[in-house]
Amino acid sequence: PALEACVQDWWGGMAALASEYEAAVNFYVRSFEAASVTGQTHRAIVTAVNIGNALCALNDPQAAMAWTGRALELARPTGIAQHISLCLTRLAENLRRTGQLEAAQAHVDEAGALLQGMADSRNYGILLIISADIALDRGDGVRALALLQQLYELGLQLQHDDLRYPVCRGSAQAWMLLRQPRKALDKAQQAWQIACKNGSATHQISVLRILAK
């Protein structure tokens, strides 16, 4: 069972990268179950978060929230800031998608407090992405751009090229809010190029929705 948790998690990751989210959920659930019975708490937490991410991609935020909440219940007793903050930020994303912006912001604020002194981490990058999306949902393009600039700089520092997509996608939305269509189009085109290069159907659809506006 211990090895099974690792194998199923790997297959889940491969399915998610291919935007095959239903298959990813099935693999991840099997990984979670194997990790739970073999005491692999770290893997169980991360896998539960990944299940939530996949369900979010399938536009099922309620189910995603249940799994992310489960991850948070496992993470809190560990006292590990990185685990707890990851669950909080992903839960904030689920809440954002259901329109619960105040609750989403509260979770982001709690995660931010845990990540003090870790502003150079990937977890902080996830926090910035979700914080920017909350700002966009509130119609605050200026705040969103400021957060995305931080994300851009963090991506360069960490050499995490995949952070370029949320920077471009979010910037396009922010410039639209600020009535700057040319700047919005430029960022949307950059996001489209990144999405096509990465082969992410989910990201391509998101960009097409922006371009359609």
Side-chain angles (χ1 to χ4, degrees):
L3 181 59
E4 182 70 4
C6 180
V7 171
Q8 295 296 330
D9 182 52
W10 185 86
W11 281 113
M14 291 299 99
L17 285 173
S19 300
E20 297 174 0
Y21 295 110
E22 289 186 11
V25 168
N26 292 329
F27 286 124
Y28 282 141
V29 167
R30 288 196 285 270
S31 175
F32 177 84
E33 291 170 347
S36 297
V37 299
T38 54
Q40 299 180 66
T41 304
H42 168 74
R43 186 176 296 279
I45 292 168
V46 174
T47 303
V49 169
N50 286 336
I51 294 169
N53 291 345
L55 287 166
C56 214
L58 289 169
N59 199 28
D60 191 349
Q62 294 294 344
M65 205 177 307
W67 273 101
T68 311
R70 195 169 181 180
L72 183 58
E73 289 175 2
L74 290 171
R76 284 199 187 278
T78 70
I80 300 174
Q82 293 92 331
H83 289 354
I84 300 169
S85 63
L86 174 64
C87 296
L88 286 167
T89 51
R90 296 313 309 181
L91 193 54
E93 171 64 5
N94 301 150
L95 289 163
R96 182 190 73 80
R97 289 189 176 224
T98 58
Q100 301 178 66
L101 299 184
E102 292 300 325
Q105 187 63 56
H107 281 71
V108 163
D109 291 343
E110 184 181 353
L114 289 169
L115 290 174
Q116 284 185 358
M118 289 183 275
D120 58 350
S121 67
R122 185 173 179 86
N123 275 9
Y124 193 76
I126 295 171
L127 176 73
L128 289 171
I129 294 170
I130 295 170
S131 296
D133 282 338
I134 292 171
L136 289 170
D137 285 355
R138 286 175 162 169
D140 192 343
V142 173
R143 174 168 170 74
L145 285 173
L147 291 164
L148 292 167
Q149 179 60 32
Q150 290 182 56
L151 180 63
Y152 173 75
E153 293 170 1
L154 179 61
L156 291 178
Q157 180 182 346
L158 297 177
Q159 297 183 349
H160 287 186
D161 193 56
D162 62 310
L163 295 179
R164 289 179 58 230
Y165 169 77
V167 170
C168 293
R169 185 269 300 162
S171 296
Q173 292 173 281
W175 285 121
M176 284 176 61
L177 286 172
L178 296 171
R179 301 180 184 275
Q180 297 283 343
R182 290 187 179 179
K183 290 181 178 180
L185 180 60
D186 178 60
K187 289 298 181 181
Q189 289 174 336
Q190 290 179 40
W192 173 255
Q193 291 170 0
I194 295 168
C196 290
K197 180 180 178 181
N198 295 340
S200 173
T202 302
H203 289 173
Q204 290 173 25
I205 291 169
S206 295
V207 178
L208 286 173
R209 286 173 176 164
I210 295 171
L211 290 169
K213 295 179 181 180

